[in-house]
Amino acid sequence: MEITLSPDLEKLVQQRVERGEFENVEEIVEFALRRLLSPSEQMASPPSPAEKVKALKDFFDEVDRDPIDAPPLPEEALRRVNLYDDRRNGL
C-alpha cells in the first residue's frame, strides 16, 4: 500500500524520526492508526459544559473544607524576601 503525504506532514514525520521518537514512517503510521482505531479512555468524548461546571463546583467544595484546621500562616512567611529569596535559589 502506498500513501502520499503532504509536504508539511512529511516534514513532521522526518522531525520525529530525527529526534528518535520513531524509527521510521511505518512505525509512526502504525502508532497513529492504533491510537485512532482502538477504543480507549483517551478517545472519550470531552465533558459537556454541565459536567465541567459540576467538576469545578465539586473541586471548590472540597477546597473549602478544612479538615485539619491548620492555623493561618504568619505574615513573615508571606514577605517577598521569604518567597523569592534569590540568594537561596542561587540566582
Side-chain angles (χ1 to χ4, degrees), residues 8-25:
D8 59 325
L9 279 178
E10 284 185 23
K11 183 177 179 182
L12 290 173
V13 167
Q14 187 61 36
Q15 288 173 349
R16 293 287 183 105
V17 170
E18 287 173 358
R19 285 191 293 216
E21 294 177 39
F22 296 95
E23 291 197 21
N24 52 45
V25 177

Side-chain angles (χ1 to χ4, degrees), residues 6-66:
S6 64
D8 59 325
L9 279 178
E10 284 185 23
K11 183 177 179 182
L12 290 173
V13 167
Q14 187 61 36
Q15 288 173 349
R16 293 287 183 105
V17 170
E18 287 173 358
R19 285 191 293 216
E21 294 177 39
F22 296 95
E23 291 197 21
N24 52 45
V25 177
E26 290 80 12
E27 190 177 322
I28 294 173
V29 171
E30 183 176 344
F31 172 81
L33 287 175
R34 284 188 188 279
R35 188 163 182 196
L36 179 67
L37 300 176
S38 297
S40 72
E41 295 283 328
Q42 296 173 351
M43 299 299 289
S45 61
S48 69
E51 292 170 326
K52 290 179 183 178
V53 168
K54 183 182 180 330
L56 279 171
K57 184 179 180 328
D58 292 346
F59 171 77
F60 285 114
D61 286 347
E62 183 67 29
V63 169
D64 284 343
R65 282 188 227 131
D66 188 10

